[in-house]
Amino acid sequence: MHTIDLPRHLLRNVERPARYTGGEWNAVKKEPADGLTRFAFCFPDIYDVGMSNLALHILYDVLNRRDDTWCERCFAPWVDMEAGMRAEGIPLFSIESRTPLRAFDVVGFTLQYEMSFTNVLNMLDLAGIPLRSQERGEDDPLVCGGGPAAFNLEPMAPFFDFAIIGEGEEVLGEVMDLVRLLKRGEIAGRAAFLEQVAMIPGVYVPSLYQVDYLPDGRVASCRPIREGIPPTVRKRVVVDLNEATMPAAPIVPNTEIVHDRVFLELFRGCTRGCRFCQAGFVYRPVRERDPEVLLEQAVRAEGATGYDEVGMLSLSTSDYSGLGPLTEGLVDALTPRRTSLSLPSLRIDSFSLDLMEKASSTRKSGLTFAPEAGSQRLRDIINKGVTHDDLIRAAGLAFDGGWSSIKLYFMLGLPGETMEDVEGIAALAREIESLYYRRPSEKRRRKLELTVSTSMFIPKPFTPFQWEPQDTRESLDEKRKRLRELLRSRSIRYQWHDLDTSYIEAVLARGDRRLADVIEDAWRSGCTFDAWDDRFHLDRWLDALRGRGLDPAFYVTRTRGEDEVFPWDHIECGVDKAYLWREKEQADAAQTTPECRLFCGDCGAAVFGGGVCYGKA
Ligand code: SF4
């Protein structure tokens, strides 16, 4: 198929044409020889967001290391570009070679969040690829999915030919070997391919599973449609992260992106077990990279990109066992080159002034803490192992260290939350504010900037709260208003996340296959970029749900029983459902569970044979 010639007038009329023109430093170009398997890595959001995603860089590198494969990138065009492309009849194309997506062998979407689902449909439509797996023919690309939202793929099940559950770099090689056989005619067509790919551990082929429902709408069962297909699909993980590939020369965008720096992935998983956090459970067990490996990766990637900032990346950076030596090594290596080091998501109970001082030797920006809840009782319910004294001590250390800009993250609507807990958020913020102003004036060179940010709690699959209802919209609204009232101060800024988006996200997160029609209807009524508050249309989603006879309350505000069959029960993230229920009971009793390094609760993740479960993080 021909490549696309992008008309100049089209690029002139869109915001940030560099999102579409490619040609970035370190982007991979190959000669599209016969026999080269073509993979389009699609990120269902704009370039600026997608290029900030580490998985994209890793999988791009893993696929392009294969001589027989060329992986290119594709992002959702922003609305201005989409309008222009539709008006000119230009199909969706890859960035590297501007080849229409329809000409690829595999079109793979990373599903980072549920609110990108309509963008997947929009991208398939713009590409001219039939939306549903059953409508695709032998000449259409295989459409696959992956990423955290693929752990419950059910609302999107009919749109995907297959999905990778878990860490893609572990599975993609086996999948691509099979795609090659299909391409060479050694597998007799698409249907046969899907049956074979379903036998690869970690690969889920939704069309090979049938879902039955109870009269009240709950799932009765989800079973393979024929013998031989595995009844459950267990995620795959990279057991030894030191052996996992990291791009030696990541792509450097030509335009500003959300996280514009070298990423350094310290470890995967999290030992803490915060009960609301899906990532903390689905990425178990914790596996760390050695500091020497990270140091070498950082220096190499910095040299290959010219970035002036290296950012540590992981779910809970300060839990990394080699953080001290790594920080020192990085500062020693990067400071002479005037490259700065950023330390995100520090837990304030293991906060180290010394470390912050070192990391900020070249640049001092704001600090972010995530107490998540305003009272100790609620922090115990969610298993956020941090106390009031930890928080106050950490804020004091930050002020001593010269920081005056602090952001505090909380969630509203957590299970068991009362208005007293909400008021506790304001009380904590006020205490931190007065702590700052009680310091001698010579220690307060700048005005305090304290930001309190709240998001709405969304019960997610594979967490102890998967049985819990989401708080009602009325109650959440009341809590938000109360907090806004209590936080009126010149030093405190209150930010909150949109209620409406969280409501639909809660529908989709624990949704079943019946929602596929709703998602398609919502998209047909004009919904795209639902994660962007100003592009989100609650009324269209509610109409789509009503139109299919589905009540959002069934998905959002209903309490599930212990024996409920979940739409995602045939997917195994490694943490047992029985363990999650035990954790839910602990939450009901406001009892905490120690982190993995102190106590193994036997969650099931030891089945993967490595990481913290075996004393090697
Ligand atoms: S098996 Fe034990 S150590 Fe391993 S992830 Fe589960 S609770 Fe943590």
Side-chain angles (χ1 to χ4, degrees):
M1 196 177 274
H2 295 303
T3 54
I4 304 285
D5 207 6
L6 274 182
R8 278 182 171 276
H9 66 265
L10 180 57
L11 291 174
R12 258 202 305 269
N13 289 328
V14 297
E15 189 188 298
R16 296 217 205 174
R19 286 172 176 159
Y20 315 102
T21 49
E24 306 101 313
W25 186 249
N26 296 332
V28 176
K29 283 267 201 176
K30 295 190 181 182
E31 272 310 309
D34 270 355
L36 199 60
T37 306
R38 307 283 296 269
F39 190 107
F41 189 101
C42 300
F43 196 98
D45 209 317
I46 54 171
Y47 179 94
D48 327 20
V49 177
M51 283 298 288
S52 304
N53 178 262
L54 181 64
L56 177 145
H57 292 275
I58 293 176
L59 298 178
Y60 184 81
D61 184 56
V62 165
L63 287 164
N64 279 322
R65 280 173 194 245
R66 291 175 65 105
D67 290 337
D68 62 0
T69 304
W70 185 9
C71 174
E72 302 183 47
R73 293 158 299 147
C74 178
F75 302 90
W78 184 239
V79 286
D80 53 359
M81 184 66 170
E82 182 194 337
M85 287 168 66
R86 289 197 187 273
E88 310 246 354
I90 298 173
L92 192 60
F93 54 88
S94 63
I95 297 268
E96 278 78 358
S97 68
R98 294 194 194 154
T99 300
L101 246 55
R102 271 205 74 166
F104 279 78
D105 298 299
V106 186
V107 168
F109 285 92
T110 179
L111 302 171
Q112 295 292 318
Y113 28 83
E114 292 83 1
M115 301 314 280
S116 67
F117 286 172
T118 54
N119 275 11
V120 172
L121 303 195
N122 202 41
M123 288 172 78
L124 288 172
D125 181 65
L126 259 174
I129 298 170
L131 295 188
R132 298 198 178 226
S133 171
Q134 65 183 38
E135 295 161 355
R136 291 181 201 126
E138 296 296 335
D139 293 335
D140 288 312
L142 293 158
V143 177
C144 77
F151 277 93
N152 178 24
L153 189 74
E154 294 312 287
M156 291 291 279
F159 308 118
F160 284 97
D161 296 315
F162 66 96
I164 290 171
I165 309 297
E167 294 167 6
E169 66 262 58
E170 191 65 15
V171 193
L172 268 172
E174 292 160 49
V175 171
M176 295 313 285
D177 288 344
L178 217 54
V179 173
R180 225 172 145 61
L181 294 181
L182 174 68
K183 211 171 148 63
R184 288 209 300 245
E186 291 173 40
I187 292 178
R190 232 179 149 84
F193 170 85
L194 291 179
E195 296 229 352
Q196 287 197 39
V197 84
M199 304 310 289
I200 297 178
V203 175
Y204 172 46
V205 179
S207 58
L208 297 179
Y209 295 78
Q210 181 186 320
V211 185
D212 292 308
Y213 296 90
L214 297 168
D216 64 8
R218 289 178 299 150
V219 171
S221 65
C222 178
R223 288 171 302 193
I225 57 172
R226 67 181 68 104
E227 287 222 353
I229 304 296
T232 59
V233 179
R234 182 187 290 163
K235 81 165 179 202
R236 294 275 294 271
V237 299
V238 177
V239 176
D240 185 355
L241 270 198
N242 287 324
E243 298 296 318
T245 52
M246 275 301 277
I251 304 168
V252 185
N254 291 333
T255 180
E256 204 180 315
I257 60 169
V258 178
H259 298 297
D260 214 359
R261 61 181 82 104
V262 168
F263 296 114
L264 208 51
E265 189 191 30
L266 273 47
F267 61 95
R268 291 191 189 160
C270 179
T271 54
R272 297 279 170 170
C274 296
R275 293 178 179 131
F276 56 85
C277 178
Q278 188 188 42
F281 288 99
V282 299
Y283 294 126
R284 282 187 180 205
V286 162
R287 291 143 292 144
E288 289 189 343
R289 279 196 171 89
D290 291 341
E292 312 81 65
V293 174
L294 288 163
L295 198 55
E296 199 239 305
Q297 284 176 355
V299 171
R300 198 178 45 191
E302 188 246 18
T305 56
Y307 270 122
D308 63 0
E309 186 175 353
V310 171
M312 293 184 183
L313 199 74
S314 48
L315 288 173
S316 176
T317 306
S318 45
D319 286 331
Y320 176 59
S321 60
L323 190 58
L326 176 66
T327 307
E328 276 169 30
L330 285 169
V331 169
D332 286 350
L334 300 175
T335 308
R337 304 161 71 102
R338 302 187 62 78
T339 296
S340 69
L341 173 67
S342 61
L343 282 172
S345 334
L346 278 181
R347 262 184 94 89
I348 35 189
D349 56 347
S350 52
F351 195 83
S352 156
L353 181 65
D354 184 43
L355 217 55
M356 289 194 314
E357 283 295 342
K358 285 190 177 111
S360 64
S361 54
T362 47
R363 190 180 297 171
K364 192 163 277 188
S365 50
L367 287 176
T368 299
F369 301 147
E372 310 290 1
S375 72
Q376 197 54 49
R377 185 191 66 90
L378 197 52
R379 283 194 292 272
D380 288 347
I381 288 178
I382 64 174
N383 206 39
K384 186 85 190 176
V386 51
T387 65
H388 170 268
D389 290 351
D390 292 332
L391 293 161
I392 296 302
R393 197 177 316 119
L397 284 171
F399 295 149
D400 285 345
W403 273 267
S404 58
S405 171
I406 290 186
K407 191 164 187 174
L408 299 169
Y409 275 111
F410 297 91
M411 267 185 280
L412 288 182
L414 286 162
E417 183 183 67
T418 64
M419 197 53 100
E420 247 172 63
D421 299 310
V422 176
E423 288 162 358
I425 296 176
L428 183 62
R430 291 287 186 187
E431 198 173 339
I432 291 175
E433 182 187 29
S434 70
L435 186 72
Y436 185 77
Y437 286 111
R438 282 205 311 270
R439 302 188 110 59
S441 54
E442 67 274 14
K443 290 199 165 181
R444 290 186 271 122
R445 289 213 196 93
R446 282 183 295 268
K447 181 179 168 289
L448 172 69
E449 286 174 33
L450 185 60
T451 305
V452 173
S453 173
T454 59
S455 59
M456 308 303 161
F457 164 70
I458 298 168
K460 293 268 177 158
F462 299 107
T463 68
F465 292 152
Q466 62 184 346
W467 289 271
E468 298 290 341
Q470 190 185 41
D471 204 355
T472 63
R473 289 158 53 71
E474 295 72 26
S475 158
L476 285 169
D477 201 34
E478 201 187 320
K479 289 172 180 174
R480 188 179 61 179
K481 283 184 181 141
R482 177 81 181 124
L483 203 48
R484 194 173 51 185
E485 202 178 279
L486 292 173
L487 286 174
R488 280 207 185 103
S489 158
R490 284 191 20 232
S491 319
I492 304 177
R493 200 153 63 96
Y494 178 38
Q495 294 175 337
W496 62 87
H497 191 250
D498 183 50
L499 256 179
D500 294 346
T501 324
S502 307
Y503 186 64
I504 295 301
E505 188 179 336
V507 172
L508 298 177
R510 288 188 294 177
D512 52 45
R513 282 192 191 186
R514 296 173 304 170
L515 287 172
D517 291 334
V518 173
I519 296 168
E520 185 172 339
D521 291 350
W523 165 69
R524 289 195 187 283
S525 71
C527 291
T528 57
F529 289 103
D530 297 290
W532 298 64
D533 290 352
D534 55 345
R535 297 268 318 152
F536 180 75
H537 302 282
L538 180 66
D539 51 339
R540 294 181 192 173
W541 277 99
L542 294 178
D543 283 350
L545 281 155
R546 254 191 305 270
R548 295 289 174 172
L550 294 173
D551 179 3
F554 173 83
Y555 296 100
V556 182
T557 45
R558 183 172 63 89
T559 303
R560 279 78 165 158
E562 184 182 359
D563 56 353
E564 173 143 353
V565 176
F566 291 129
W568 53 89
D569 273 357
H570 55 300
I571 303 296
E572 289 181 45
C573 79
V575 177
D576 303 332
K577 196 173 177 183
Y579 173 83
L580 294 173
W581 180 262
R582 286 203 301 277
E583 276 296 288
K584 179 220 160 359
E585 289 182 320
Q586 286 284 93
D588 291 344
Q591 292 295 315
T592 58
T593 298
E595 62 137 323
C596 292
R597 286 192 179 101
L598 299 175
F599 164 82
C600 171
D602 196 13
C603 74
V607 75
F608 297 108
V612 69
C613 322
Y614 294 84
K616 304 174 288 176

